[in-house]
Amino acid sequence: MSEKSILNLIDIVKLEANMDINAFESEDRDLNDFLLKDAKNYSKSLLAVTYLLQIGDETVAYFSLSNDSLIKNDREQPVWNKINRIIPNDKRRRSYPAVKIGRLAVAKKHAGKGLGSRIILTIQNMYINESQRAGCRFLIVDAYRDALPFYQKKDFKFLTEQDCNDDTRIMYFDLKTV
Ligand SMILES: CC(C)(COP(=O)(O)OP(=O)(O)OC[C@H]1O[C@@H](n2cnc3c(N)ncnc32)[C@H](O)[C@@H]1OP(=O)(O)O)[C@@H](O)C(=O)NCCC(=O)NCCS
């Protein structure tokens, strides 16, 4: 199936308690297990909401979101100065409202077809359209090392250099740039 045709077939639905997900296999076992075993409990506990990208009965990708904030790290003043420059003077704070992409995965057999990009676009739209219920300026992700180039292509920036040798790195995206 071509990239264009698969994107046309996708429905994005919120994971509900009564839904069955039979199988999901991305490159990352923890992300597969989360979807199959934990995602509903996170929703029930109001800790994260999970959304599925469906083609008919098949789950081809998913993502989970939680409210969060971008918090000033005193040891990274240059990065914070850069962030502050995009906020009007009288509205500058030590933290800004954000939403965290807690988990995001595309099924192995559908990787490279634009589904990851569709997810980022969907999240951006969720937080900049008129139905938004609370202010949210940034997207944040604690990105897996292998996925760093993906997020960089989507214009996410590194928040700190302190995690440059870690397995995951915190990145942020300014929704005002959409
Ligand atoms: C990372 C992931 C979400 C990307 O999803 P995808 O549907 O394959 O991405 P897309 O097809 O939308 O690719 C968008 C762009 O990013 C690039 N890209 C995607 N994954 C990449 C990677 N691992 N390394 C380098 N570039 C990558 C693509 O080449 C494409 O570039 P282009 O716009 O120049 O053509 C997916 O590979 C995945 O689920 N990986 C395993 C789980 C994971 O790492 N999740 C992230 C947790 S933080």
Side-chain angles (χ1 to χ4, degrees):
M1 200 181 289
S2 74
E3 179 173 313
K4 200 167 171 205
S5 59
I6 200 175
L7 292 176
N8 289 338
L9 294 173
I10 291 165
D11 284 321
I12 301 184
V13 296
K14 189 167 151 182
L15 176 67
E16 304 286 357
N18 61 357
M19 287 180 185
D20 286 327
I21 305 165
N22 299 321
F24 181 74
E25 204 176 326
S26 75
E27 292 286 352
D28 187 274
R29 190 190 284 183
D30 289 343
L31 291 173
N32 303 340
D33 283 351
F34 175 83
L35 180 62
L36 299 173
K37 297 178 188 158
D38 284 338
K40 285 182 187 172
N41 292 331
Y42 272 71
S43 288
K44 207 166 146 190
S45 311
L46 306 181
L47 292 173
V49 174
T50 296
Y51 297 87
L52 310 176
L53 277 71
Q54 295 284 122
I55 298 181
D57 289 342
E58 184 188 0
T59 301
V60 294
Y62 83 90
F63 59 98
S64 294
L65 302 176
S66 304
N67 286 352
D68 208 319
S69 52
L70 196 63
I71 300 172
K72 182 175 182 197
N73 176 342
D74 286 324
R75 285 184 288 173
E76 296 289 352
Q77 193 62 43
V79 180
W80 199 254
N81 288 346
K82 208 164 114 195
I83 291 170
N84 265 341
R85 274 199 290 278
I86 55 178
I87 306 283
N89 240 329
D90 59 339
K91 295 181 178 57
R92 290 179 185 166
R93 303 281 182 272
R94 288 185 66 84
S95 73
Y96 296 112
V99 68
K100 182 169 185 175
I101 306 172
R103 282 152 182 107
L104 185 168
V106 172
K108 246 193 263 187
K109 69 173 184 175
H110 293 299
K113 297 179 184 173
L115 293 174
S117 305
R118 169 63 66 87
I119 290 176
I120 299 298
L121 198 62
T122 300
I123 299 170
Q124 289 166 345
N125 285 330
M126 284 166 85
Y127 287 89
I128 56 171
N129 72 19
E130 287 170 13
S131 65
Q132 66 164 201
R133 296 191 178 150
C136 175
R137 177 66 190 248
F138 295 98
L139 304 182
I140 317 180
V141 65
D142 204 0
Y144 286 8
R145 188 152 283 283
D146 285 349
L148 295 179
F150 166 72
Y151 288 107
Q152 284 176 299
K153 283 203 161 170
K154 301 293 149 200
D155 283 334
F156 280 66
K157 312 283 183 222
F158 294 114
L159 185 61
T160 172
E161 283 309 310
Q162 288 169 39
D163 57 9
C164 68
N165 295 318
D166 295 354
D167 292 342
T168 62
R169 294 200 65 184
I170 302 173
M171 302 182 83
Y172 70 92
F173 175 88
D174 180 11
L175 284 164
K176 203 66 181 154
T177 61
V178 177

